[in-house]
């Protein structure tokens, strides 16, 4: 970890390529990009039409010759060329020129824990295409833990759960490394899909994916818990008639619909704890679990994890930007390496 910190301090910018959003941190400036990882392309000419927020608003509303794509899935770049084009569009000409003026441009990027060599190579090639001469890769879990202020460098256990759009990663960290971890292909999209399918089957209502977030907001505060609101009104398209219709949705039924994906998330916590040494598990009894990632804000998720594990559960102050914020702290030199004292013989 000491060598990695030294290398990271020489980096000029850091990128967190997430399935939902892309974030860029520039040393000495801060967070300069925080937009959806979406690009709109004209399939006839191959021209890039829009990126970020504007491209996100185009989803489901484009003619046949315009395709809205996501070049990143589960924190892994699946289309290198499109990811490069998207990043160029998000950075803008002015910022790109400022970065290219660096004599030996270095970059840092987040990669999922235990990412395979192809995924790591894709992340490196994406940033090399932007002009980076050297790319440092950092485990997303460690970067997120640093970003939310956990003492990852100390010889004590910290548990973090990164709730992403397509994946959820759970790990126990100590001395700047991962002691036990597991990753499952269940994230915020799985919860949204469960809600959409429930409304379709039980109420014959087609709900666009963009309309799931308002449902989350309607169930906010105490959210998807037994003490939450009994019902809420949702508007969508009738499956039979195709007309717009409003229905009264029972929140208890919604809780039951999303129970399967959330149960899978809770189960992975138990598996990670069983692989940990007893001393580290004892550290976690009082410290608990830190939730990071955009899907950590799902109403009632923290309470469900708390009831299932019996451990304290905390949500980071800004869970969605913890990973890139942690990279920024490393770039700025705010994280000091662990220094061992002299050995007395």
């Amino acid at each position: 970890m000491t060598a990695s910190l030294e290398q990271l301090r020489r980096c000029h910018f850091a990128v967190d390529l997430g399935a939902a959003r892309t974030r860029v941190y520039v040393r000495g400036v801060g967070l300069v990009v925080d937009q959806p990882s979406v690009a709109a392309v004209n399939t006839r000419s191959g021209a890039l039409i829009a990126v970020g927020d504007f491209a996100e608003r185009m989803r489901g509303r484009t003619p046949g010759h315009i395709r809205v794509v996501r070049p990143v899935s589960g924190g892994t770049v699946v289309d290198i060329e499109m990811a490069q084009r998207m990043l160029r569009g998000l950075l803008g000409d002015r910022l790109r020129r400022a970065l290219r003026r660096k004599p030996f441009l270095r970059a840092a990027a987040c990669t999922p824990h235990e990412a395979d060599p192809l995924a790591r190579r894709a992340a490196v090639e994406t940033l090399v295409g932007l002009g980076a001469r050297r790319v440092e890769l950092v485990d997303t879990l460690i970067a997120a833990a640093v970003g939310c202020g956990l003492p990852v460098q100390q010889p004590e256990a910290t548990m973090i759960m990164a709730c992403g759009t397509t994946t959820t990663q759970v790990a126990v960290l100590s001395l700047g490394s991962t002691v036990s971890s597991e990753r499952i292909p269940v994230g915020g999209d799985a919860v949204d899909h469960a809600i959409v399918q429930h409304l379709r089957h039980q109420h014959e209502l087609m709900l666009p994916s963009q309309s799931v977030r308002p449902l989350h907001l309607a169930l906010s505060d105490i959210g998807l818990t037994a003490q939450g609101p009994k019902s809420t009104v949702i508007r969508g398209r009738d499956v039979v008639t195709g007309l717009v219709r409003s229905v009264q949705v029972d929140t208890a039924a919604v809780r039951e619909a999303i129970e399967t994906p959330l149960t899978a998330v809770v189960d992975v916590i138990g598996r990670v704890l069983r692989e940990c040494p007893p001393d580290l598990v004892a550290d976690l009894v009082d410290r608990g679990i830190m939730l990071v990632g955009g899907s950590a804000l799902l109403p009632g998720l923290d309470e469900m994890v708390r009831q299932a594990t019996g451990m304290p559960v905390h949500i980071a102050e800004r869970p969605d930007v913890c990973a890139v914020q942690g990279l920024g702290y490393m770039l700025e030199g705010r994280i000091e390496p662990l220094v061992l004292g002299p050995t007395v013989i």
Side-chain angles (χ1 to χ4, degrees), residues 14-35:
V15 178
D16 177 20
L17 281 168
R21 300 185 74 86
T22 293
R23 300 175 177 91
V24 180
Y25 186 103
V26 177
R27 189 177 66 188
V29 179
L31 188 64
V32 296
V33 173
D34 184 4
Q35 295 203 42

Side-chain angles (χ1 to χ4, degrees), residues 191 195 215-216 219-229 251-252 254-255 258 262 298-301 303-304:
V191 175
I195 295 175
L215 176 58
H216 290 175
L219 299 173
S220 58
D221 297 329
I222 47 181
L224 296 174
T225 61
Q227 296 77 31
T251 55
V254 175
R255 288 199 303 272
I258 67 173
L262 291 185
L298 178 69
L301 175 61
E303 183 62 28
M304 182 176 183

Side-chain angles (χ1 to χ4, degrees), residues 174-342:
S174 180
L175 288 173
S177 299
T178 303
V179 178
S180 173
S181 67
E182 190 162 338
R183 179 185 179 195
I184 57 173
V186 177
D189 279 354
V191 175
D192 293 350
H193 180 72
I195 295 175
V196 169
Q197 290 301 310
H198 168 74
L199 293 176
R200 182 182 179 92
H201 292 227
Q202 299 299 322
H203 300 278
E204 296 184 344
L205 197 73
M206 292 183 65
L207 192 66
S209 58
Q210 294 90 341
S211 300
V212 178
R213 295 304 173 186
L215 176 58
H216 290 175
L217 295 176
L219 299 173
S220 58
D221 297 329
I222 47 181
L224 296 174
T225 61
Q227 296 77 31
K230 299 298 181 183
S231 64
T232 186
V233 177
I234 297 299
R235 177 175 295 182
R237 189 177 73 182
D238 190 282
V239 174
V240 179
T241 65
L243 301 177
V244 177
R245 181 165 61 93
S246 299
V247 298
Q248 194 85 10
V249 178
D250 182 15
T251 55
V254 175
R255 288 199 303 272
E256 184 177 350
I258 67 173
E259 184 176 348
T260 299
L262 291 185
T263 300
V265 173
V266 172
D267 289 344
V268 76
I269 297 175
R271 293 198 295 271
V272 170
L273 288 175
R274 284 194 291 272
E275 296 175 3
C276 282
D279 291 341
L280 293 181
V281 176
D283 291 343
L284 298 172
V285 173
D286 297 325
R287 180 166 296 164
I289 307 170
M290 178 68 73
L291 302 186
V292 299
S295 298
L297 298 174
L298 178 69
L301 175 61
D302 56 336
E303 183 62 28
M304 182 176 183
V305 174
R306 187 179 296 112
Q307 292 178 359
T309 61
M311 300 169 60
V313 178
H314 315 281
I315 301 178
E317 185 176 353
R318 293 195 62 189
D320 52 339
V321 298
C322 281
V324 72
Q325 198 70 50
L327 285 178
Y329 290 161
M330 296 178 191
L331 264 61
E332 303 285 1
R334 301 184 190 178
I335 307 301
E336 295 295 332
L338 179 65
V339 178
L340 299 177

Side-chain angles (χ1 to χ4, degrees), residues 43-62:
T43 57
R44 295 173 181 171
S45 63
L48 186 67
I49 298 175
V51 295
D53 289 325
F54 188 46
E56 177 72 14
R57 293 199 299 270
M58 295 170 65
R59 278 204 310 149
R61 299 179 174 90
T62 60

